[in-house]
């Protein structure tokens, strides 16, 4: 297995140090994901930029978590699902919604389910979502702008999910109580 270094703000390559310092200022520590991303200052900066931009979309914080967690589920990202489960709980998201996202089942809220379904289709079909599925998303009360905001959220998660797959990122202490394995894949 290829091993990667999980850097700190002090040990990172020089070009990544300011990015990790900003991450530490925002979160109070450097998550292992960003510590791994620091190997490439460009990846670290790109991820931080997309994260910040997605946070500014017209989607609510709970809707953003639905997009992120739908992507994490489809991409089978153990690290990000644990992290976003923790963040969703911190945001006081409905526990039934969080559990459905972790289980890959329909959400108990019809509007959030439409978002979940659309985000899932974007990931699963690599953007080849049918016109009927896009129209169903719009009929649920979302906008054409939201269609493209979902793409931004999915792109953000591609960067982190793939980093975690390749680097085998270890869970941070804050998320260990939300450890996750995609249902039906245990022991596979």
């Amino acid at each position: 297995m290829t091993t990667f270094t999980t850097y700190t703000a002090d040990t990172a390559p020089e070009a990544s140090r300011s990015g990790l310092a900003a991450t530490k200022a925002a979160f109070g520590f450097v998550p292992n994901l960003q510590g791994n991303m620091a190997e490439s200052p460009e990846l670290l900066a790109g991820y931080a930029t997309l994260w910040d931009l997605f946070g500014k979309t017209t989607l609510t914080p709970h809707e953003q978590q639905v997009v992120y967690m739908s992507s994490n589920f489809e991409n089978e990202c153990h690290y990000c699902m644990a992290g976003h489960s923790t963040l969703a709980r911190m945001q006081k998201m409905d526990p039934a919604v969080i559990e459905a996202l972790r289980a890959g089942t329909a959400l108990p809220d019809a509007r959030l389910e439409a978002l979940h379904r659309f985000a899932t289709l974007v990931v699963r079909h690599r953007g080849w979502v049918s016109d009927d599925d896009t129209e169903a998303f719009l009929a649920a009360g979302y906008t054409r702008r939201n269609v493209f905001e979902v793409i931004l959220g999915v792109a953000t998660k591609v960067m982190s999910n793939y980093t975690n797959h390749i680097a085998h990122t270890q869970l941070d202490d804050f998320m260990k109580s939300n450890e996750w394995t995609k249902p039906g894949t245990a022991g596979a």
Side-chain angles (χ1 to χ4, degrees), residues 54-183:
F54 190 59
K56 295 175 184 175
T57 64
T58 62
L59 296 171
T60 69
H62 287 183
E63 289 169 331
Q64 291 171 24
Q65 288 301 332
V66 169
V67 172
Y68 280 158
M69 292 176 74
S70 299
S71 296
N72 297 337
F73 184 90
E74 286 301 306
N75 289 326
E76 295 185 43
C77 186
H78 303 87
Y79 180 92
C80 284
M81 185 60 90
H84 283 280
S85 297
T86 303
L87 293 173
R89 285 182 171 89
M90 291 169 61
Q91 292 176 349
K92 309 254 187 274
M93 183 182 256
D94 179 350
V97 170
I98 296 169
E99 289 314 309
L101 288 164
R102 289 171 59 89
T105 58
L107 307 188
D109 177 289
R111 182 172 161 86
L112 290 180
E113 173 53 24
L115 176 60
H116 172 238
R117 183 173 189 282
F118 185 74
T120 295
L121 292 171
V122 168
V123 176
R124 190 177 291 164
H125 299 297
R126 296 182 309 249
W128 292 103
V129 178
S130 73
D131 289 342
D132 288 343
D133 288 323
T134 302
E135 288 300 323
F137 178 63
L138 296 171
Y142 289 99
T143 67
R144 284 170 172 73
R145 179 176 178 170
N146 296 145
V147 168
F148 296 111
E149 291 172 340
V150 168
I151 294 168
L152 175 60
V154 168
T156 304
K157 286 291 96 187
V158 164
M159 296 169 82
S160 60
N161 294 166
Y162 290 12
T163 295
N164 293 323
H165 294 334
I166 292 171
H168 307 283
T169 308
Q170 298 298 305
L171 297 183
D172 295 293
D173 289 341
F174 85 94
M175 66 174 71
K176 286 184 178 176
S177 64
N178 288 306
E179 188 171 359
W180 178 82
T181 299
K182 187 173 185 177

Side-chain angles (χ1 to χ4, degrees), residues 9-57:
D10 296 327
T11 64
E14 186 63 39
S16 291
R17 289 185 182 178
S18 64
L20 288 186
T23 299
K24 187 174 182 178
F27 292 105
F29 69 103
V30 174
N32 290 333
L33 167 64
Q34 285 87 346
N36 288 339
M37 285 181 164
E39 188 72 44
S40 167
E42 298 79 12
L43 176 63
L44 181 64
Y47 181 71
T49 299
L50 291 186
W51 177 276
D52 290 345
L53 289 171
F54 190 59
K56 295 175 184 175
T57 64

